[in-house]
Amino acid sequence: MKNTSSSTSVRTTAVEPEQPSFPVRVAAIDVGSNGIRFSAAEFTSSRKFEFIIADRAPVRLGHGVFLSGRLSEHAMEAALKAFRTFRKKMDENDVHYYRAVATSAVRESSNGEEFLRRVRAETGIELETIDGREEARLVYLAVKGSISFSRKQWLIAELGGGSLELSLVDDSGVLATECQTMGSVRLLEVLSNSDEDPSRFQRLLQQYVSMLKVPTMMNREKLAGFIATGGNIETIAKLSGVPTDSNGVCKLPVSKLEAVKEKLFRLSYGERVSELRLRKDRADVVLPASMVFSRIAELAKVESILVPHVGIKEGVMFDVVDDLFSKSGADDRYEQELCANCVALGRKFYFDEPHAEQVSALAVSLFDQLRDLHCYGRKERRLLIAAGILHDIGGFISVRKHHKHSQYIIENSPLPGVDDGDRKIIANIARYHRKAEPSEKHNSYMALSEHDRLKVDRLGSILRVADLLDREHLQNVYNVKVERSERTVRLVLEGAPVLSIERRTLKKKGKMFTRVFDVKLQIDEMNYEKESLTGR
């Protein structure tokens, strides 16, 4: 499927150069649970760069989120202050391209959407939440620049404050990823209590970490090695005294990891700060982290761990540069694979492929043009693409109630690269492309979290509008342009001279969009030479 706009991974901070060329300056903002990292670099080629700025704001957004489910006002204010600083640095250093991503603390918080809106309103920076699979992909991009996989399979562990991503990779890419809610800050928040005996905390921690599993498809006999990323493993490697090679990679023997872990056990929090000279926001989480890495090494049956000293922020910068200099800015490999997998599933059920691709393309075009209305990013864009391609797949069972059949098929069909949670969201978005709107009476909808139900509401309403624009399955609408006023969304259609059916249908199918976004929806039309959204 041909996309209708440039990739969301490329952002601009000022006037964007018409034709990017090397050298080019890009930036990455990684909003984690234990801190916010900002990096800017000048790239002289797609893989060679030098850092201009490397900064870190010690904002622990994960504090309380994993217990209360909300970002605290204090933490959000501190984060906004950091974002204002980052914005100023980008402007001062002529950084025109960036991507800002947020991980588990923001994506799991009930007020995460409010935080994203405040970041955008107060700093102009577009922050997007990403899931564990996207985290793993970005880490892979960073690691492959430092370590040669040599046609073998490797295990990569990215341990953050809120989650652990375990990925099986090789030269071709990420083969499998499992995201586990075992981040260092989360472990600290869930298991520790200032009134408890420290030894009891350690016993609870050992019991919890013992439940850790590795990717089910991993064959230990074929595993070339174990790679670990994140601030905690870098700290452990530094404490162990192992040297780094010319690529910045160090080889940490598991025996030295165990020695550091035992030392951390013996020292109190205050002693880790004073004797080991650890940052205060590292001294408490490094112990849980050491136990997690020890457990993974045990399960993987390795004697050493490679620590490349790169992570999400480097992967984000590589991703931005790849998008800038690829043939198409939207040529995102994961998105292309998702489209191919959805089409393959649709063909199994003899779906109307031209209609599916047209609706998905129209939906993505609306999504991209309405970004300031829904405030979603790359992950939600992909959910909408998948739902658009598969929305009518239920017609294989029966045209009558096919929206419900589509939901059933999607929920119960393996879709490579999509986890169970996202598949349920896609299924619900597809269901609501017609007939009844989401309701408290719908069990599958109510089984989703409040955060995910909001995604279904917003993305489902966009899909409804896209579907009505190809009501007759004839691909008569070749393009759609959104014109916004404060209270109105006006769709200017390029297509057939008379779109009376679409006009009549809008009043009924546009109700959900009007309700969800609290705006009026109008259709206008313009006649242009045919240029199909799907590339036909």
Side-chain angles (χ1 to χ4, degrees):
M1 183 179 72
K2 184 179 178 181
N3 295 316
T4 58
S5 71
S6 62
S7 170
T8 60
S9 69
V10 178
R11 316 292 194 195
T12 61
T13 61
V15 177
E16 181 179 344
E18 292 184 5
Q19 189 69 38
S21 60
F22 292 112
V24 64
R25 293 185 171 190
V26 303
I29 301 175
D30 171 18
V31 182
S33 301
N34 194 43
I36 305 175
R37 296 168 181 82
F38 169 72
S39 296
E42 182 168 279
F43 279 73
T44 53
S45 71
S46 61
R47 304 306 295 181
K48 295 181 67 175
F49 69 90
E50 287 189 8
F51 281 109
I52 303 169
I53 309 166
D55 197 1
R56 180 183 185 276
V59 181
R60 186 168 283 182
L61 286 170
H63 180 70
V65 169
F66 306 126
L67 294 177
S68 69
R70 290 181 61 82
L71 296 167
S72 72
E73 183 62 29
H74 175 75
M76 286 196 289
E77 286 295 337
L80 286 165
K81 181 180 178 180
F83 267 90
R84 286 190 285 269
T85 299
F86 301 156
R87 178 58 189 250
K88 182 180 179 181
K89 289 183 177 181
M90 284 193 284
D91 292 342
E92 290 174 346
N93 289 275
D94 296 323
V95 177
H96 295 285
Y97 304 98
Y98 74 92
R99 186 181 177 196
V101 300
T103 53
S104 56
V106 177
R107 72 172 175 253
E108 293 182 26
S109 60
S110 60
N111 57 341
E113 290 293 328
E114 174 194 343
F115 177 61
L116 299 185
R117 290 180 185 276
R118 289 179 65 180
V119 169
R120 190 176 194 281
E122 296 184 31
T123 70
I125 293 175
E126 242 183 278
L127 175 64
E128 60 177 306
T129 56
I130 59 173
D131 60 8
R133 184 170 295 277
E134 177 67 358
E135 287 185 59
R137 188 186 72 86
L138 293 171
V139 170
Y140 172 80
L141 288 179
V143 171
K144 76 174 184 178
S146 302
I147 297 174
S148 173
F149 297 132
S150 303
R151 300 182 182 179
K152 297 177 182 178
Q153 292 185 0
W154 293 74
L155 178 66
I156 297 181
E158 161 67 15
L159 179 64
S163 64
L164 167 68
E165 278 69 46
L166 289 171
S167 303
L168 189 65
V169 307
D170 64 11
D171 285 319
S172 67
V174 180
L175 304 175
T177 296
E178 290 187 8
C179 180
Q180 304 191 29
T181 55
M182 202 170 284
S184 55
V185 174
R186 189 192 299 270
L187 288 171
L188 198 67
E189 295 287 337
V190 173
L191 299 180
S192 69
N193 187 306
S194 58
D195 297 329
E196 290 181 351
D197 180 356
S199 62
R200 185 173 185 276
F201 165 65
Q202 292 173 4
R203 289 196 301 273
L204 288 172
L205 192 55
Q206 288 174 323
Q207 292 172 8
Y208 203 81
V209 171
S210 68
M211 297 186 291
L212 180 66
K213 305 297 180 185
V214 296
T216 54
M217 71 177 290
M218 188 185 81
N219 186 333
R220 293 178 182 82
E221 301 302 320
K222 295 182 179 180
L223 194 65
F226 170 29
I227 302 166
T229 65
N232 284 304
I233 194 64
E234 291 173 8
T235 297
I236 292 168
K238 183 178 179 180
L239 291 173
S240 74
V242 294
T244 58
D245 64 17
S246 58
N247 289 323
V249 181
C250 65
K251 188 174 184 179
L252 174 65
V254 172
S255 60
K256 291 200 172 187
L257 164 64
E258 294 298 325
V260 171
K261 184 182 74 172
E262 292 305 316
K263 187 172 186 177
L264 293 171
F265 262 127
R266 291 194 303 269
L267 298 177
S268 67
Y269 167 76
E271 290 170 334
R272 294 175 209 154
V273 174
S274 60
E275 294 185 23
L276 301 182
R277 299 183 182 278
L278 298 183
R279 293 195 319 261
K280 290 182 178 180
D281 64 341
R282 180 67 67 197
D284 53 356
V285 295
V286 69
L287 173 58
S290 69
M291 297 181 67
V292 171
F293 287 119
S294 175
R295 172 63 174 166
I296 299 171
E298 176 189 358
L299 293 171
K301 297 182 179 179
V302 296
E303 295 181 356
S304 62
I305 304 169
L306 292 187
V307 183
H309 292 84
V310 295
I312 291 176
K313 62 184 186 298
E314 287 85 3
V316 166
M317 290 193 295
F318 283 131
D319 196 41
V320 172
V321 171
D322 287 346
D323 279 351
L324 281 173
F325 292 95
S326 62
K327 292 181 180 179
S328 168
D331 190 22
D332 172 63
R333 174 177 152 175
Y334 183 64
E335 191 171 287
Q336 296 299 318
E337 289 176 352
L338 175 64
C339 291
N341 291 331
C342 288
V343 169
L345 178 60
R347 286 171 179 170
K348 289 182 180 179
F349 294 92
Y350 303 99
F351 76 145
D352 183 344
E353 190 168 337
H355 170 69
E357 291 194 343
Q358 180 78 351
V359 169
S360 186
L362 286 165
V364 168
S365 180
L366 291 171
F367 178 94
D368 290 341
Q369 295 179 75
L370 293 168
R371 191 174 301 279
D372 62 335
L373 194 61
H374 56 69
C375 291
Y376 284 143
R378 168 176 278 195
K379 175 186 176 180
E380 289 76 19
R381 190 178 194 267
R382 290 197 291 260
L383 296 175
L384 182 59
I385 288 173
I389 294 174
L390 299 172
H391 73 284
D392 272 352
I393 196 173
F396 176 80
I397 297 174
S398 173
V399 174
R400 186 172 178 270
K401 298 183 179 180
H402 72 266
H403 56 299
K404 295 182 180 180
H405 300 316
S406 293
Q407 179 184 14
Y408 176 82
I409 292 174
I410 296 169
E411 284 183 343
N412 293 279
S413 298
L415 197 56
V418 178
D419 62 29
D420 292 342
D422 284 347
R423 196 166 65 244
K424 289 176 182 177
I425 296 173
I426 293 168
N428 274 275
I429 295 169
R431 173 190 174 153
Y432 295 114
H433 81 275
R434 69 189 291 268
K435 295 296 183 179
E437 295 183 14
S439 166
E440 293 181 357
K441 297 178 181 179
H442 299 164
N443 293 335
S444 59
Y445 173 74
M446 294 305 297
L448 301 174
S449 68
E450 182 180 357
H451 185 64
D452 288 341
R453 289 199 297 271
L454 184 60
K455 288 182 185 178
V456 171
D457 291 349
R458 292 176 179 174
L459 301 181
S461 67
I462 292 173
L463 182 59
R464 276 192 181 228
V465 175
D467 186 53
L468 82 84
L469 297 182
D470 196 37
R471 174 79 174 179
E472 298 298 291
H473 291 225
L474 297 174
Q475 294 79 62
N476 282 332
V477 176
Y478 315 140
N479 200 2
V480 57
K481 180 181 178 182
V482 174
E483 294 183 355
R484 287 280 312 281
S485 63
E486 186 177 351
R487 303 292 297 172
T488 303
V489 171
R490 181 168 170 259
L491 307 182
V492 182
L493 309 182
E494 300 176 18
V498 179
L499 297 169
S500 57
I501 293 177
E502 285 80 4
R503 288 182 182 278
R504 290 198 305 270
T505 309
L506 178 66
K507 186 174 181 180
K508 181 178 180 182
K509 295 198 73 170
K511 283 183 178 179
M512 183 174 169
F513 185 95
T514 298
R515 174 184 62 80
V516 169
F517 293 111
D518 192 25
V519 293
K520 293 181 180 179
L521 185 62
Q522 298 176 354
I523 282 185
D524 201 350
E525 62 186 81
M526 297 178 67
N527 297 321
Y528 287 88
E529 183 179 350
K530 183 172 181 179
E531 183 180 348
S532 173
L533 282 166
T534 56
R536 288 181 170 74

